């Protein structure tokens, strides 16, 4: 079993829909990152969380430390949101980043 | 502040040649991480370095791969005698020293795409 699990693996949506991507982890962490990777592109850090909730534009990220779970929400989705969204946790013990396998999101007009 | 700079962005090598990938961290960042992304797969940790010191290389293949982060200059990921299976995107990320302000901040470079013919 992977230490970081994301769901769903693939997600399609119509423009305007509300989207949720989930991340569960099994290790103790010092931080959790949500990353975005466009096809053939680099990696952009969207959020870094250690507790609570953060919001940036149409993106919202939440984390529940007790349940070892985080969610990334996209409100009023747009085709330009189409990308792979990756959850990564920094292990408290090793300081190493452990990545989920990513969620491939396609938003159609 | 130019961010994390990786070069070359694209590198083509023939089997048996050497590949050298460079990563210059963000100004003020003293830790560098290398990750590999094979085609259609997720990111995998390779090595974690600070200046003149390898902290964790548990993700590095045992042979042909090495990494360094010298006192001066960029971090270098070196792959000797490349094989087709080394074709991948190699990403570098940097962060400040643990315990410093923003220690968990991680900034990624744009990646270096290695193609082995």
């Amino acid at each position: 079993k992977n230490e970081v699990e994301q769901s769903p693996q693939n997600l399609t949506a119509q423009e305007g829909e509300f989207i949720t991507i989930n991340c569960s982890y099994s290790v103790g962490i010092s931080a959790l990152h949500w990353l975005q990777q466009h096809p053939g592109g680099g990696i952009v850090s969207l959020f870094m969380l250690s507790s609570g909730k953060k919001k940036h534009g149409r993106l919202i990220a939440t984390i529940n430390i007790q349940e070892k779970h985080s969610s990334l929400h996209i409100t009023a989705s747009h085709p330009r949101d189409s990308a792979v969204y990756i959850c990564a946790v920094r292990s408290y013990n090793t300081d190493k980043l452990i990545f989920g396998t990513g969620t491939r999101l396609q938003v159609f007009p | 502040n130019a961010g994390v700079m990786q070069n070359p962005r694209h590198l083509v090598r023939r089997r048996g040649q050497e590949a050298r990938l460079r990563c210059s961290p963000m100004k003020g960042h003293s830790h560098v991480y290398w990750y590999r992304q094979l085609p259609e797969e997720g990111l995998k940790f390779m090595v974690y370095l600070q200046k003149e010191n390898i902290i964790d290389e548990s993700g590095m293949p045992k042979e042909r791969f090495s990494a360094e982060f010298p006192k001066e200059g960029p971090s270098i990921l070196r792959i000797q005698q490349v094989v087709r299976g080394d074709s991948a995107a190699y990403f570098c990320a940097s962060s400040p020293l643990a315990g410093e302000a923003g220690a968990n901040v991680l900034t990624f470079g744009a990646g270096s795409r290695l193609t082995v013919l």
Side-chain angles (χ1 to χ4, degrees):
Chain A
K1 190 179 187 302
N2 292 335
E3 293 169 301
V4 180
E5 296 274 0
Q6 280 186 244
S7 64
Q9 287 190 323
N10 293 284
L11 183 57
T12 58
Q14 286 296 125
E15 184 173 355
E17 284 185 9
F18 180 84
I19 286 159
T20 296
I21 300 170
N22 296 299
C23 175
S24 297
Y25 54 92
S26 57
V27 297
I29 69 168
S30 55
L32 181 144
H33 298 260
W34 280 103
L35 310 170
Q36 180 192 56
Q37 186 175 29
H38 283 281
I43 297 168
V44 175
S45 178
L46 298 174
F47 294 104
M48 185 193 66
L49 296 160
S50 53
S51 64
K53 177 179 174 178
K54 285 190 177 179
K55 185 176 189 292
H56 182 69
R58 295 180 295 106
L59 301 177
I60 303 166
T62 63
I63 187 168
N64 185 319
I65 297 293
Q66 285 73 30
E67 294 185 4
K68 294 189 174 179
H69 181 268
S70 175
S71 292
L72 176 69
H73 305 285
I74 306 175
T75 60
S77 59
H78 191 276
R80 65 173 174 264
D81 297 326
S82 299
V84 175
Y85 292 84
I86 303 166
C87 170
V89 302
R90 180 169 287 205
S91 165
Y92 183 82
N93 289 331
T94 67
D95 214 29
K96 197 183 339 183
L97 265 193
I98 307 168
F99 293 88
T101 52
T103 295
R104 188 175 300 274
L105 170 66
Q106 286 186 294
V107 181
F108 293 100
Chain B
N1 191 341
V4 177
M5 302 300 293
Q6 287 191 249
N7 68 83
R9 292 292 308 278
H10 299 275
L11 181 64
V12 178
R13 284 288 179 265
R14 297 193 179 279
R15 280 180 297 170
Q17 291 185 319
E18 179 179 285
R20 281 188 183 227
L21 309 176
R22 294 173 196 78
C23 169
S24 296
M26 276 191 72
K27 188 176 180 181
H29 285 192
S30 54
H31 287 197
V32 164
Y33 307 78
W34 284 95
Y35 302 95
R36 177 165 67 173
Q37 187 174 40
L38 293 167
E40 303 302 320
E41 291 190 18
L43 286 154
K44 292 286 194 297
F45 167 80
M46 298 184 76
V47 63
Y48 171 26
L49 311 107
Q50 66 180 87
K51 292 276 187 185
E52 299 183 284
N53 188 26
I54 297 174
I55 299 174
D56 183 343
E57 57 181 347
S58 58
M60 290 278 271
K62 295 284 186 283
E63 297 175 347
R64 302 187 297 106
F65 284 73
S66 62
E68 62 175 5
F69 189 13
K71 189 175 179 182
E72 302 289 338
S75 175
I76 295 174
L77 180 68
R78 182 180 177 212
I79 312 171
Q80 295 178 286
Q81 298 175 312
V82 295
V83 300
R84 288 219 175 101
D86 298 332
S87 296
Y90 292 84
F91 289 93
C92 167
S94 71
S95 69
L97 184 65
E100 288 186 350
N104 278 317
V105 171
L106 202 66
T107 305
F108 282 83
S112 291
R113 279 156 182 82
L114 172 66
T115 302
V116 179
L117 301 176

